[in-house]
Amino acid sequence: MTGDAQGKPFKFVAGALCLDFVNSVGGRLRPPAGRRRNGGAILREKLLGYEELLLWSRLSGAVTEREAAALARMARQRGSAARAVFARALRLREAIYHIFAAVLDGRSPQKADLATLNRELAIARGRERLHFVEKQWVWRWDGKETALEHPLWPVAQSAAALLASPALGRVRECPGERCGWLFLDKSKNRSRQWCAMRDCGNLAKVRRFRARRAVGG
Ligand SMILES: [Zn+2]
């Protein structure tokens, strides 16, 4: 659900960067079972342009504050390039959503979605370089300071890492009305049901309570 009540444009409750990216919408209408191939209709888009993409990236930690400021300056100078990256970001987000929706439904992913993810992943991996810093080996992105598309790299990598990990079995979809957010159930007894108890969980409780009262007369 949305975080607007607290004046925050985005919420990060999924437990995985790629799922938080999928959740950069107010919610999704769940289509009837088996008809989700083209995804649930988006309820209130929150990523409206490259600027919001940068804001999401900064708040999620995908890019640092300094990187975000540099990218914002660059985006102002290269408007059409920024718009192209933004269009790619939305395509990547929806591809990731469709792929995880397929996982949840026990279906194979659509070829086009997998191709979109693989394309962005190849770009991201192609930019990785191994560095030796203060006696430690670390992966770093090459040229991220000047790449408007840098925010997409950690998202693509996060999706690939989650898809190929045992944690995939812990991906859930919030059953909240008009929510449909995805998250990782990291609870020991696999009991997490809602994206956020404070939002969808409480709303469901209030609805159940009202329904009981109505029946009780
Ligand atoms: Zn929810």
Side-chain angles (χ1 to χ4, degrees), residues 17-19 21-22 24 47 49-58 60-64 67 71 81-96 116-128 141 143-144 147-161:
L17 187 74
C18 59
L19 300 184
F21 193 52
V22 164
S24 61
L47 288 187
Y50 189 81
E51 211 173 300
E52 283 85 7
L53 173 66
L54 267 190
L55 178 62
W56 181 90
S57 304
R58 183 166 62 76
S60 70
V63 306
T64 66
E67 288 164 353
L71 290 174
R83 279 192 293 280
V85 167
F86 175 66
R88 269 170 59 195
L90 290 188
R91 265 202 303 280
L92 175 64
R93 185 188 70 185
E94 294 312 294
I96 293 173
T116 298
L117 175 57
N118 269 324
R119 198 165 50 237
E120 294 298 347
L121 195 59
I123 296 168
R125 293 212 160 148
R127 291 293 197 124
E128 276 193 317
W141 309 109
K144 63 180 179 180
L148 286 169
E149 61 180 21
H150 164 210
L152 308 190
W153 302 342
V155 169
Q157 286 227 330
S158 161

Side-chain angles (χ1 to χ4, degrees), residues 1 174 179 195 200:
M1 290 288 286
C174 179
C179 179
C195 65
C200 288

Side-chain angles (χ1 to χ4, degrees), residues 1-2 13 26 30 173-183 193-197 199-201:
M1 290 288 286
T2 71
V13 297
R30 207 164 308 120
E173 180 179 34
C174 179
E177 208 174 307
R178 301 167 74 80
C179 179
W181 274 16
L182 304 184
F183 60 87
Q193 195 183 352
W194 309 101
C195 65
M197 194 60 212
D199 298 331
C200 288

